[in-house]
Amino acid sequence: MDSQTSQPSPASQSPHTFQVDLRGLVDLLSHHLYSSPKVYLRELLQNAVDAITARRAEQPDAPAAVRLYAEGGTLRVEDSGIGLTESDVHSLLATIGRSSKREDGLQAARSDFLGQFGIGLLACFVVAERIRVVSRSARTPDAAPVEWTATDDGSYTVRTLPHEARPEPGTTVHLVARAGAGEWLTEERVRSLARDFGSLLPYDVRVGDEVIAELPAPWDRTHPSPATRRVALARHCHDLFGFTPLDTIDLNVPLAGVRGVAYVLPSAVSPAQRASHRVHLKGMLLTERAEQLLPDWAFFVRCVLDTDSLRPTASRESLYEDETLAAVREALGERIRSWLTGLAAGDPERLAAFLSVHHLGVKSLARHDNEMLRTMLPWLPFETTDGRLSLEEFALRHPVVHFTRTVEEYRQVAPIASAQGIGVINGGYTYDSELVEALPSVRPGTVVSELDADTVTAHLDAVDPAEELALSGFLMAARAKLDPLGCDVVLRAFHPLSVPALHLDDRAARHEQARADAEEQADDLWAGILGSLRGSAPRARLVLNHLNPLIRRISSLRDPELIGTATESLYGQALLMAQRPLRPADSALLNRAFIGLLEWATHTEPGKDDLR
């Protein structure tokens, strides 16, 4: 960057200085480091705020003002900060990456600063073709003001000015827009960016006469009542995020240097959707898209906060993942957890309203947290054969808590199990089966059992042996028809009477069927491999209801072909009732059975049995 280069030393081991291609550096900043040219204003505000902070570290009563004036493709930024001498200019502005905050014993106050002066000023070349800095040092009041002027070709000049050019300590930065970037230096755009970046800055920041910084922060302001505060924060949320929150959660963690609020979303969102949060670093907006700030389970809130402890990345547009961020994330998660337990203890109506929208997020938390599960047990809703109930209420009604692992299994057995007095919970939805299995850990003595086909079949009444023997021919023909499909036929008596047949299987049976299907379609090599994996798992079952009038009529048929067609029809209808996905073989069976019944109904040969 320095155009005033020295002559090379004749010594073979003499040190060399990196030469910086400013045009290439500006391209790197604008297209790779920063997400948008708008960060130039943040960098200017950071430099001004840091300069004031540095001056106040030495002169606590020093003025703290930043003024921005935009007009005709130019921008002027004035601050009442520490200022620079001519030697400071050469060492700070001609050397990339060095920070004035490291000098003169201010290292101890380093955490009070936001950025680095040199890098921040260079970022202005993203929108400016020329930068002019006029500064007067507060540390050396007798030193003459100094002027540093640089252009985007990498050259700069330094000269001293008369004292009247800058009567008071501080710095003024002048920008002249580069071609095509004039929009970024208009008063309207500067005001909008300054308000966005600097609304929480601790100093008097203004664009023209308009005050930008609005302290205290919305979550720190006093209100006549809690209700008034909720209304004010809801308005702030709507202005910031575009929605009116269900509730507001304070996120004050003094030990971590974090203050802010979390706003509860009024509508459900996918747990896989990454929430974006708004983070200020020492009052300056760092990012609007912080994704790693909260635990993954807290996807139902959007938060805005100010911190002085978290570390920004090089672009200062996101947070650096380190131990501090992990500790803050855990602390903020604990605040949200405490809010939930507080609602459960003192405001059940608000909790019910929240859970009606965001029960999935709470279930995600409760499956890893026994205390949260114990707290939420009376409130978390589950789909059961008794209706929509909490686990606590369901466990009080049923000595054994049966559950299924998939929605398909639940739909398959729920009507029959309910009629037999078996209580079943649908564990097929996200997190539900894990929570049901965790129930004994928070409710000792509770018996939890996964419901399978054997359990359901065992609760169905057996048919009188003599009657079943009389129907052995019918059952043999029906079994022969469904055997190629990997399904057995069983005769039982159960309620409701309106259900003629029930298709039952379990995961082991489905896995075996999938293996058999794959073996049938594979070549000789793979068929041999899959054949070696054949298991002894029970097969699926078609349970025929001996109490159903239609089953009684079908069982009296004597034509094996018609028995087969009727059996296929019952099998297909049972699959449809269970809402199970159909295999190609199942679809072919349904078509075949339907056509067969139509042919039989429209062309009955003399003497042939019928279903009437």
Side-chain angles (χ1 to χ4, degrees), residues 438-452:
L439 187 55
S441 66
V442 297
R443 198 177 188 276
T446 303
V447 179
V448 173
S449 175
E450 182 177 355
L451 188 68
D452 56 22

Side-chain angles (χ1 to χ4, degrees), residues 106 165 186 202 214 384 441 459 516 540:
L106 290 180
T186 62
E214 300 176 353
T384 79
S441 66
H459 279 79

Side-chain angles (χ1 to χ4, degrees), residues 8-21:
S9 168
S12 60
Q13 298 299 319
S14 61
H16 298 275
T17 302
F18 283 107
Q19 300 299 307
V20 177
D21 178 356

Side-chain angles (χ1 to χ4, degrees), residues 363-419:
K363 287 181 177 181
S364 173
L365 171 59
R367 68 195 177 116
H368 296 304
D369 188 326
N370 281 350
E371 187 59 37
M372 179 56 63
L373 178 58
R374 185 178 293 105
T375 301
M376 293 291 110
L377 203 57
W379 308 102
L380 290 175
F382 290 79
E383 182 180 357
T384 79
T385 50
D386 292 351
R388 200 159 180 82
L389 300 175
S390 69
L391 289 181
E392 174 71 21
E393 188 173 357
F394 187 86
L396 289 173
R397 295 185 182 187
H398 299 279
V400 178
V401 177
H402 291 287
F403 73 99
T404 63
R405 290 192 182 276
T406 68
V407 175
E408 289 78 10
E409 290 174 352
Y410 177 79
R411 290 171 177 167
Q412 187 178 4
V413 302
I416 307 303
S418 179

